[in-house]
Amino acid sequence: MYIVLAPAARNIPVPAGTEPEAYLQRTDAHGAPAGPPAVVPAGKLAETVRGLDAGAPRWVFDSTRDAYLPLLAAGTGVDRSHDLALVRSILSLSVYTPDTAYIRALREEPIAHQDDELPRHLPPLQQSPDQFTLFDEPRADGTALEDLVAELQDQLAAVAASPQRARLQLLLAAESAGALIAAEMEHSGVPWSEDIHLDILSSHLGERPREGQRPEKLEDLAVKLGQELANPSFSPDSPQQLIRALHRAGIEVKTTSSWELKEHSHPAIEPLLQYRKLSRLFTANGWAWLDAWVRDGRFRPEYVAGGVVTGRWASRGGGALQIPGQIRDAVRPDPGRKLLVADAAQLEPRVLAALAQDSALAAAGRDKDLYQGIADAGFGGDRAKAKIAMLGAMYGATTGESGRLMPQLTRTYPQAIAVVERAARAGEAGQVVSSYLGRSCPPPSDRWLAAQRTTTAEEQRRADGLARSRGRFTRNFVVQSTAAEWALCWLAELRRRLRGCAAEGTSVGDMVFFLHDEVMLHVHEDRTDMARRLVEESAAAATRLVFGRIPVEFPVSVAVVDSYADAK
DNA sequence: GCGTGGAGCGCG
DNA sequence: AAAGCGCGCTCCACGC
């Protein structure tokens, strides 16, 4: 049922005379060992895993990325998994987790689930003063095979005793599937045309500059800016110099951010905004970025599944989740392939409709754009207004246009608004809130709690500010986290279907990119209709999985294109 | 020289 | 027309 995999490097000492690559332990449905552990000799792991996966086990990894990327490199995939670290992180916070010794222990060591930057398998420094002995001695690090098996048992027992076992099980399965998908996407990479990227850079910036120099067009703008501000030597990269120069030129801004600059009219503003735009392209996605992240026609970022408190993915290096529209034209399919870009339309407000069982909001999104539906029902058909109002409701806006539009929204969708308001009040009071499937937000920090127990008026103002800030966080958490689990289920369902097709000899394509509510497939050009159908089926399946039978639609918009730039 | 926090901006 | 959630990256400014 489960097979626990422990890379041998973490199970030193090595048995004499052998050179194992990994240890495997088969267990029953409760994680209890079934038979003795297997020692997999060097060079045989991928092959062994491939053979065992036919028996449809759930592979147990301490870190999916560490264990699975090498398998993928050897051409081996697995069907299902259980990621101990991700499950640990969810269980330690979830309100659906029962009070077991394992959970209590987790909650007493906050670092284990809060700080992913500290790999659990590295012992504290004071325990290994000599770096050279580090790899020759047994590590008391809790990742030996038997410790992984023990933790699996603890986790399965906790889920079994949960008052919401089904939801929690689904969440943990989806989270683990997400980790597999993240590794697979990292392995496949995003098809990237270096030539087109270079064309974009040269047309916007000019030739690649020498190390430490500005590109030609950026330099021109800096010079022009110096002239307009009558200050030839200042650097627009320095906020302090910049704001002083602006003030001297009579432009009275509090910050130098673009939206505030746009409110003034002065001949220096246009070149400044242009400089900003190009400077960002140069520094964040320029030649250096290309050198670092694109090789052999693939952009290979590192994804961090479960890297965000709400359950969204994060990324490390390469800014994978912030690819600017400016360079999306560089994402091109291989010959014989197409890009299929699917987007869950207005996912978060639809999730809110489901959470609140708000039939008016559900109706507004039936067979149409949800924001347009809201607009038609209460904002005179003005879609932009409806969208601002809805986003404001989910983010906790109090001022500005968004704040002004809120009352109208509350009149039309009292049930939906009540859900986010309740979440906000809970957060302000220091409570935790949870997603539909049971991912809970972190409790307030000790500093936050201490701030709430203040007496002086000034401290009280600060405490109120902190409370409102937490309220905005929890308000958004219920929606964002539930949207993230819908999206994970969507991806997992899609993965299952794609693997099913491949197993039958009909390769449809690969999942190559995921961005919160949007997925990109690199599909064979003669199977785009099939891919489209799988994506749509998966969305329907995800809705059923998460919410059961509900009268809320979760439509996906699908574009089959030859450039990512054409997807929107 | 090194780490950190803020500003600014990219994405959803 | 503009302030309210979640991130990552790059730069500068600052303190050590």
Side-chain angles (χ1 to χ4, degrees):
Chain A
M1 190 122 239
Y2 291 88
I3 302 180
V4 181
L5 189 158
R10 298 185 180 185
N11 285 272
I12 296 167
V14 171
T18 61
E19 196 198 330
E21 183 169 5
Y23 297 87
L24 299 181
Q25 175 67 63
R26 194 190 291 270
T27 80
D28 68 9
H30 308 289
V39 181
V40 182
K44 298 285 185 201
L45 182 58
E47 183 186 328
T48 307
V49 167
R50 197 175 315 142
L52 290 170
D53 198 51
R58 205 177 270 281
W59 291 94
V60 180
F61 303 127
D62 185 42
S63 155
T64 298
R65 183 169 182 270
D66 290 353
Y68 194 40
L69 275 178
L71 292 176
L72 289 169
T76 298
V78 303
D79 241 14
R80 308 189 305 161
S81 69
H82 177 106
D83 185 301
L84 289 166
L86 291 173
V87 169
R88 183 189 307 138
S89 160
I90 290 174
L91 291 181
S92 73
L93 292 177
S94 177
V95 293
Y96 291 160
T97 308
D99 187 28
T100 66
Y102 169 67
I103 300 299
R104 276 196 301 277
L106 281 186
R107 289 178 178 166
E108 276 162 20
E109 44 170 320
I111 285 179
H113 60 80
Q114 294 281 348
D115 192 353
D116 291 335
E117 295 299 313
L118 282 177
R120 248 172 53 93
H121 58 272
L122 286 181
L125 274 178
Q126 56 271 30
Q127 282 181 20
S128 57
D130 183 353
Q131 286 218 327
F132 297 100
T133 62
L134 183 62
F135 300 101
D136 298 317
E137 290 179 352
R139 298 190 201 172
D141 58 9
T143 54
L145 180 64
E146 54 272 29
D147 295 328
L148 299 188
V149 173
E151 181 161 24
L152 174 66
Q153 287 175 3
D154 286 338
Q155 294 187 348
L156 295 177
V159 174
S162 165
Q164 287 284 359
R165 193 175 59 201
R167 288 190 187 185
L168 208 47
Q169 249 164 7
L170 175 59
L171 172 58
L172 300 178
E175 184 84 342
S176 296
L180 291 179
I181 294 166
E184 285 163 0
M185 285 184 174
E186 191 169 334
H187 175 71
S188 62
V190 183
W192 200 276
S193 165
E194 196 162 342
D195 288 345
I196 292 173
H197 193 151
L198 288 171
D199 286 347
I200 295 168
L201 294 181
S202 60
S203 72
H204 285 87
L205 299 165
E207 290 299 298
R208 179 175 193 165
R210 290 201 317 278
E211 184 82 21
Q213 304 279 317
R214 279 194 189 109
E216 181 193 331
K217 304 215 175 178
L218 210 46
E219 185 61 33
D220 293 349
L221 280 167
V223 169
K224 187 166 177 201
L225 205 46
Q227 290 164 353
E228 296 293 357
L229 293 172
N231 190 342
S233 65
F234 91 110
S235 161
D237 295 326
S238 160
Q240 295 188 355
Q241 290 183 40
L242 179 57
I243 201 156
R244 273 200 303 270
L246 290 170
H247 286 168
R248 271 199 304 273
I251 307 168
E252 293 301 326
V253 286
K254 283 195 185 64
T255 71
T256 67
S257 62
S258 297
W259 69 266
E260 196 181 346
L261 289 169
K262 282 176 193 159
E263 290 172 346
H264 292 78
S265 89
H266 185 282
I269 296 212
E270 178 56 29
L272 175 53
L273 294 176
Q274 237 183 320
Y275 179 90
R276 280 269 174 79
K277 187 98 187 145
L278 291 184
S279 168
R280 183 166 174 91
L281 174 64
F282 172 56
T283 56
N285 297 103
W287 292 274
W289 181 90
L290 211 38
D291 289 345
W293 296 103
V294 176
R295 206 153 16 114
D296 302 326
R298 293 289 186 271
F299 167 41
R300 274 206 186 71
E302 177 183 340
Y303 298 103
V304 187
V308 179
V309 274
T310 58
R312 280 183 172 184
W313 289 8
S315 69
R316 189 154 42 214
L321 307 185
Q322 308 129 256
I323 301 171
Q326 247 176 338
I327 60 164
R328 291 193 175 190
D329 198 30
V331 184
R332 299 293 182 115
D334 289 351
R337 299 251 189 162
K338 294 274 185 184
L339 299 176
L340 184 151
V341 182
D343 177 290
Q346 306 98 40
L347 178 56
E348 291 194 349
R350 289 176 191 275
V351 159
L352 178 55
L355 284 175
Q357 301 179 49
D358 188 317
S359 44
L361 190 53
R366 199 156 299 139
D367 299 322
K368 55 180 178 290
D369 181 295
L370 176 62
Y371 293 130
Q372 191 59 54
I374 296 171
D376 294 342
F379 294 89
D382 188 334
R383 183 184 188 275
K385 266 191 181 171
K387 183 174 178 180
I388 283 169
M390 195 70 223
L391 290 176
M394 292 188 296
Y395 291 166
T398 52
T399 62
E401 183 174 14
S402 190
R404 281 197 304 280
L405 293 169
M406 274 284 294
Q408 172 61 25
L409 204 63
T410 308
R411 276 195 295 278
T412 322
Y413 309 108
Q415 282 187 246
I417 300 306
V419 164
V420 285
E421 289 294 332
R422 205 182 312 132
R425 299 292 92 79
E428 287 168 4
Q431 295 162 4
V432 298
V433 297
S434 302
S435 71
Y436 190 74
L437 295 182
R439 188 191 303 268
S440 301
C441 75
S445 67
D446 291 340
R447 284 189 58 184
W448 189 95
L449 290 168
Q452 298 305 309
R453 298 188 298 263
T454 55
T455 47
T456 74
E458 190 178 338
E459 284 175 331
Q460 192 59 52
R461 263 209 318 281
R462 197 181 136 264
D464 290 348
L466 288 174
R468 279 193 299 274
S469 172
R470 180 172 170 83
R472 289 191 299 274
F473 166 61
T474 52
R475 167 196 295 268
N476 185 250
F477 185 96
V478 293
V479 177
Q480 190 183 118
S481 61
T482 306
E485 55 206 21
W486 183 94
L488 275 182
C489 288
W490 180 38
L491 244 57
E493 287 290 323
L494 180 54
R495 176 180 189 265
R496 198 154 60 78
R497 284 166 174 77
L498 289 169
R499 286 178 68 82
C501 289
E504 287 167 16
T506 312
S507 171
V508 175
D510 310 305
M511 300 171 73
V512 294
F513 189 59
F514 173 52
L515 187 52
H516 310 316
D517 60 0
E518 173 184 323
V519 64
M520 183 188 294
L521 304 185
H522 193 213
V523 297
H524 294 288
E525 64 184 354
D526 51 354
R527 305 216 174 103
T528 58
D529 287 344
M530 191 184 290
R532 181 189 295 267
R533 207 179 62 237
L534 298 183
V535 164
E536 285 165 355
E537 276 177 25
S538 303
T543 305
R544 286 290 301 280
L545 263 180
V546 177
F547 297 115
R549 288 193 176 280
I550 47 155
V552 181
E553 290 175 357
F554 288 85
V556 287
S557 73
V558 178
V560 176
V561 293
D562 289 307
S563 162
Y564 190 20
D566 299 333
K568 281 263 158 79

